[in-house]
mmCIF file of all heavy atoms in Angstrom:
data_model
loop_
_atom_site.group_PDB
_atom_site.id
_atom_site.type_symbol
_atom_site.label_atom_id
_atom_site.label_comp_id
_atom_site.label_asym_id
_atom_site.label_seq_id
_atom_site.Cartn_x
_atom_site.Cartn_y
_atom_site.Cartn_z
ATOM 1 N N PRO A 93 0.389 9.892 -16.117
ATOM 2 C CA PRO A 93 0.439 10.456 -17.478
ATOM 3 C C PRO A 93 0.095 11.947 -17.510
ATOM 4 O O PRO A 93 0.683 12.703 -18.290
ATOM 5 C CB PRO A 93 -0.597 9.635 -18.257
ATOM 6 C CG PRO A 93 -0.720 8.365 -17.500
ATOM 7 C CD PRO A 93 -0.516 8.734 -16.055
ATOM 8 N N LEU A 94 -0.838 12.365 -16.666
ATOM 9 C CA LEU A 94 -1.190 13.788 -16.613
ATOM 10 C C LEU A 94 -0.029 14.614 -16.081
ATOM 11 O O LEU A 94 0.281 15.694 -16.601
ATOM 12 C CB LEU A 94 -2.429 13.986 -15.737
ATOM 13 C CG LEU A 94 -3.680 13.216 -16.167
ATOM 14 C CD1 LEU A 94 -4.771 13.365 -15.123
ATOM 15 C CD2 LEU A 94 -4.150 13.685 -17.524
ATOM 16 N N PHE A 95 0.621 14.105 -15.033
ATOM 17 C CA PHE A 95 1.782 14.786 -14.467
ATOM 18 C C PHE A 95 2.910 14.873 -15.499
ATOM 19 O O PHE A 95 3.495 15.940 -15.707
ATOM 20 C CB PHE A 95 2.260 14.056 -13.211
ATOM 21 C CG PHE A 95 3.555 14.574 -12.673
ATOM 22 C CD1 PHE A 95 3.624 15.825 -12.081
ATOM 23 C CD2 PHE A 95 4.709 13.812 -12.749
ATOM 24 C CE1 PHE A 95 4.831 16.320 -11.588
ATOM 25 C CE2 PHE A 95 5.913 14.285 -12.255
ATOM 26 C CZ PHE A 95 5.970 15.548 -11.674
ATOM 27 N N ALA A 96 3.201 13.749 -16.144
ATOM 28 C CA ALA A 96 4.275 13.731 -17.141
ATOM 29 C C ALA A 96 3.991 14.711 -18.272
ATOM 30 O O ALA A 96 4.880 15.467 -18.689
ATOM 31 C CB ALA A 96 4.463 12.321 -17.688
ATOM 32 N N ALA A 97 2.754 14.720 -18.756
ATOM 33 C CA ALA A 97 2.398 15.647 -19.830
ATOM 34 C C ALA A 97 2.542 17.098 -19.379
ATOM 35 O O ALA A 97 3.072 17.940 -20.122
ATOM 36 C CB ALA A 97 0.970 15.374 -20.301
ATOM 37 N N ALA A 98 2.102 17.405 -18.162
ATOM 38 C CA ALA A 98 2.205 18.775 -17.657
ATOM 39 C C ALA A 98 3.667 19.203 -17.548
ATOM 40 O O ALA A 98 4.037 20.317 -17.949
ATOM 41 C CB ALA A 98 1.500 18.890 -16.307
ATOM 42 N N VAL A 99 4.509 18.329 -17.022
ATOM 43 C CA VAL A 99 5.934 18.660 -16.884
ATOM 44 C C VAL A 99 6.579 18.834 -18.260
ATOM 45 O O VAL A 99 7.345 19.782 -18.485
ATOM 46 C CB VAL A 99 6.676 17.588 -16.055
ATOM 47 C CG1 VAL A 99 8.184 17.753 -16.157
ATOM 48 C CG2 VAL A 99 6.235 17.663 -14.600
ATOM 49 N N LEU A 100 6.270 17.934 -19.175
ATOM 50 C CA LEU A 100 6.857 18.048 -20.513
ATOM 51 C C LEU A 100 6.370 19.287 -21.239
ATOM 52 O O LEU A 100 7.133 19.905 -22.003
ATOM 53 C CB LEU A 100 6.582 16.778 -21.311
ATOM 54 C CG LEU A 100 7.306 15.529 -20.779
ATOM 55 C CD1 LEU A 100 6.860 14.283 -21.539
ATOM 56 C CD2 LEU A 100 8.814 15.696 -20.818
ATOM 57 N N LEU A 101 5.131 19.688 -20.993
ATOM 58 C CA LEU A 101 4.631 20.940 -21.574
ATOM 59 C C LEU A 101 5.390 22.143 -21.022
ATOM 60 O O LEU A 101 5.727 23.061 -21.777
ATOM 61 C CB LEU A 101 3.136 21.100 -21.303
ATOM 62 C CG LEU A 101 2.209 20.318 -22.212
ATOM 63 C CD1 LEU A 101 0.774 20.386 -21.685
ATOM 64 C CD2 LEU A 101 2.275 20.848 -23.626
ATOM 65 N N THR A 102 5.658 22.147 -19.725
ATOM 66 C CA THR A 102 6.416 23.279 -19.160
ATOM 67 C C THR A 102 7.809 23.325 -19.769
ATOM 68 O O THR A 102 8.321 24.405 -20.068
ATOM 69 C CB THR A 102 6.545 23.199 -17.621
ATOM 70 O OG1 THR A 102 7.291 22.052 -17.249
ATOM 71 C CG2 THR A 102 5.208 23.211 -16.945
ATOM 72 N N HIS A 103 8.393 22.169 -19.959
ATOM 73 C CA HIS A 103 9.731 22.130 -20.546
ATOM 74 C C HIS A 103 9.704 22.635 -21.988
ATOM 75 O O HIS A 103 10.539 23.451 -22.379
ATOM 76 C CB HIS A 103 10.292 20.709 -20.473
ATOM 77 C CG HIS A 103 11.701 20.607 -20.924
ATOM 78 N ND1 HIS A 103 12.749 21.136 -20.205
ATOM 79 C CD2 HIS A 103 12.249 20.042 -22.033
ATOM 80 C CE1 HIS A 103 13.878 20.916 -20.847
ATOM 81 N NE2 HIS A 103 13.595 20.245 -21.951
ATOM 82 N N ALA A 104 8.752 22.148 -22.773
ATOM 83 C CA ALA A 104 8.649 22.556 -24.178
ATOM 84 C C ALA A 104 8.353 24.046 -24.314
ATOM 85 O O ALA A 104 8.866 24.705 -25.213
ATOM 86 C CB ALA A 104 7.575 21.731 -24.889
ATOM 87 N N ALA A 105 7.538 24.564 -23.397
ATOM 88 C CA ALA A 105 7.171 25.978 -23.451
ATOM 89 C C ALA A 105 8.210 26.875 -22.789
ATOM 90 O O ALA A 105 8.116 28.100 -22.883
ATOM 91 C CB ALA A 105 5.810 26.176 -22.783
ATOM 92 N N GLY A 106 9.179 26.281 -22.120
ATOM 93 C CA GLY A 106 10.186 27.079 -21.426
ATOM 94 C C GLY A 106 9.631 27.801 -20.208
ATOM 95 O O GLY A 106 10.130 28.846 -19.815
ATOM 96 N N VAL A 107 8.593 27.235 -19.622
ATOM 97 C CA VAL A 107 7.962 27.838 -18.438
ATOM 98 C C VAL A 107 8.479 27.114 -17.204
ATOM 99 O O VAL A 107 8.175 25.944 -16.988
ATOM 100 C CB VAL A 107 6.416 27.728 -18.515
ATOM 101 C CG1 VAL A 107 5.771 28.253 -17.242
ATOM 102 C CG2 VAL A 107 5.891 28.459 -19.730
ATOM 103 N N HIS A 108 9.280 27.820 -16.419
ATOM 104 C CA HIS A 108 9.827 27.266 -15.184
ATOM 105 C C HIS A 108 9.737 28.352 -14.125
ATOM 106 O O HIS A 108 10.317 29.419 -14.286
ATOM 107 C CB HIS A 108 11.279 26.817 -15.377
ATOM 108 C CG HIS A 108 11.459 25.896 -16.527
ATOM 109 N ND1 HIS A 108 11.030 24.589 -16.496
ATOM 110 C CD2 HIS A 108 11.988 26.097 -17.757
ATOM 111 C CE1 HIS A 108 11.295 24.020 -17.662
ATOM 112 N NE2 HIS A 108 11.871 24.904 -18.436
ATOM 113 N N SER A 109 8.973 28.070 -13.096
ATOM 114 C CA SER A 109 8.763 29.068 -12.055
ATOM 115 C C SER A 109 8.663 28.379 -10.708
ATOM 116 O O SER A 109 8.683 27.146 -10.613
ATOM 117 C CB SER A 109 7.464 29.845 -12.336
ATOM 118 O OG SER A 109 6.338 28.976 -12.225
ATOM 119 N N ALA A 110 8.532 29.173 -9.679
ATOM 120 C CA ALA A 110 8.332 28.609 -8.343
ATOM 121 C C ALA A 110 7.059 27.773 -8.316
ATOM 122 O O ALA A 110 6.999 26.738 -7.636
ATOM 123 C CB ALA A 110 8.265 29.730 -7.308
ATOM 124 N N LEU A 111 6.049 28.187 -9.070
ATOM 125 C CA LEU A 111 4.785 27.455 -9.105
ATOM 126 C C LEU A 111 4.947 26.079 -9.759
ATOM 127 O O LEU A 111 4.436 25.078 -9.240
ATOM 128 C CB LEU A 111 3.726 28.283 -9.846
ATOM 129 C CG LEU A 111 2.276 27.836 -9.721
ATOM 130 C CD1 LEU A 111 1.836 27.811 -8.266
ATOM 131 C CD2 LEU A 111 1.385 28.760 -10.536
ATOM 132 N N THR A 112 5.682 26.008 -10.875
ATOM 133 C CA THR A 112 5.872 24.715 -11.532
ATOM 134 C C THR A 112 6.763 23.803 -10.687
ATOM 135 O O THR A 112 6.516 22.602 -10.590
ATOM 136 C CB THR A 112 6.456 24.870 -12.945
ATOM 137 O OG1 THR A 112 7.721 25.547 -12.871
ATOM 138 C CG2 THR A 112 5.509 25.631 -13.862
ATOM 139 N N SER A 113 7.782 24.372 -10.072
ATOM 140 C CA SER A 113 8.661 23.576 -9.204
ATOM 141 C C SER A 113 7.903 23.057 -7.987
ATOM 142 O O SER A 113 8.030 21.881 -7.621
ATOM 143 C CB SER A 113 9.851 24.405 -8.737
ATOM 144 O OG SER A 113 10.654 24.762 -9.827
ATOM 145 N N PHE A 114 7.116 23.931 -7.374
ATOM 146 C CA PHE A 114 6.335 23.519 -6.213
ATOM 147 C C PHE A 114 5.315 22.453 -6.600
ATOM 148 O O PHE A 114 5.132 21.460 -5.893
ATOM 149 C CB PHE A 114 5.645 24.716 -5.557
ATOM 150 C CG PHE A 114 4.828 24.342 -4.357
ATOM 151 C CD1 PHE A 114 5.440 24.037 -3.148
ATOM 152 C CD2 PHE A 114 3.441 24.289 -4.426
ATOM 153 C CE1 PHE A 114 4.698 23.672 -2.036
ATOM 154 C CE2 PHE A 114 2.688 23.921 -3.323
ATOM 155 C CZ PHE A 114 3.317 23.623 -2.123
ATOM 156 N N GLY A 115 4.640 22.648 -7.732
ATOM 157 C CA GLY A 115 3.645 21.683 -8.196
ATOM 158 C C GLY A 115 4.254 20.317 -8.454
ATOM 159 O O GLY A 115 3.690 19.295 -8.071
ATOM 160 N N ALA A 116 5.421 20.293 -9.074
ATOM 161 C CA ALA A 116 6.093 19.022 -9.346
ATOM 162 C C ALA A 116 6.522 18.343 -8.049
ATOM 163 O O ALA A 116 6.343 17.135 -7.883
ATOM 164 C CB ALA A 116 7.294 19.248 -10.262
ATOM 165 N N GLY A 117 7.068 19.130 -7.137
ATOM 166 C CA GLY A 117 7.465 18.570 -5.847
ATOM 167 C C GLY A 117 6.275 18.070 -5.053
ATOM 168 O O GLY A 117 6.334 17.011 -4.418
ATOM 169 N N LEU A 118 5.191 18.846 -5.090
ATOM 170 C CA LEU A 118 3.978 18.445 -4.377
ATOM 171 C C LEU A 118 3.446 17.129 -4.923
ATOM 172 O O LEU A 118 3.087 16.225 -4.154
ATOM 173 C CB LEU A 118 2.918 19.543 -4.494
ATOM 174 C CG LEU A 118 1.593 19.305 -3.787
ATOM 175 C CD1 LEU A 118 1.805 19.141 -2.278
ATOM 176 C CD2 LEU A 118 0.645 20.469 -4.077
ATOM 177 N N TYR A 119 3.415 16.989 -6.241
ATOM 178 C CA TYR A 119 2.956 15.738 -6.839
ATOM 179 C C TYR A 119 3.821 14.576 -6.362
ATOM 180 O O TYR A 119 3.306 13.564 -5.873
ATOM 181 C CB TYR A 119 2.974 15.806 -8.371
ATOM 182 C CG TYR A 119 2.580 14.488 -8.996
ATOM 183 C CD1 TYR A 119 1.246 14.145 -9.154
ATOM 184 C CD2 TYR A 119 3.541 13.551 -9.382
ATOM 185 C CE1 TYR A 119 0.870 12.917 -9.692
ATOM 186 C CE2 TYR A 119 3.179 12.323 -9.915
ATOM 187 C CZ TYR A 119 1.843 12.016 -10.067
ATOM 188 O OH TYR A 119 1.481 10.792 -10.583
ATOM 189 N N PHE A 120 5.134 14.718 -6.515
ATOM 190 C CA PHE A 120 6.030 13.612 -6.176
ATOM 191 C C PHE A 120 5.934 13.217 -4.708
ATOM 192 O O PHE A 120 5.731 12.040 -4.390
ATOM 193 C CB PHE A 120 7.480 13.962 -6.526
ATOM 194 C CG PHE A 120 8.446 12.915 -6.062
ATOM 195 C CD1 PHE A 120 8.558 11.712 -6.741
ATOM 196 C CD2 PHE A 120 9.220 13.116 -4.929
ATOM 197 C CE1 PHE A 120 9.428 10.726 -6.299
ATOM 198 C CE2 PHE A 120 10.101 12.140 -4.487
ATOM 199 C CZ PHE A 120 10.202 10.939 -5.177
#
Side-chain angles (χ1 to χ4, degrees):
L94 302 173
F95 172 70
V99 168
L100 293 174
L101 280 171
T102 64
H103 186 70
V107 176
H108 307 287
S109 66
L111 193 58
T112 59
S113 295
F114 180 75
L118 181 61
Y119 177 83
F120 174 75

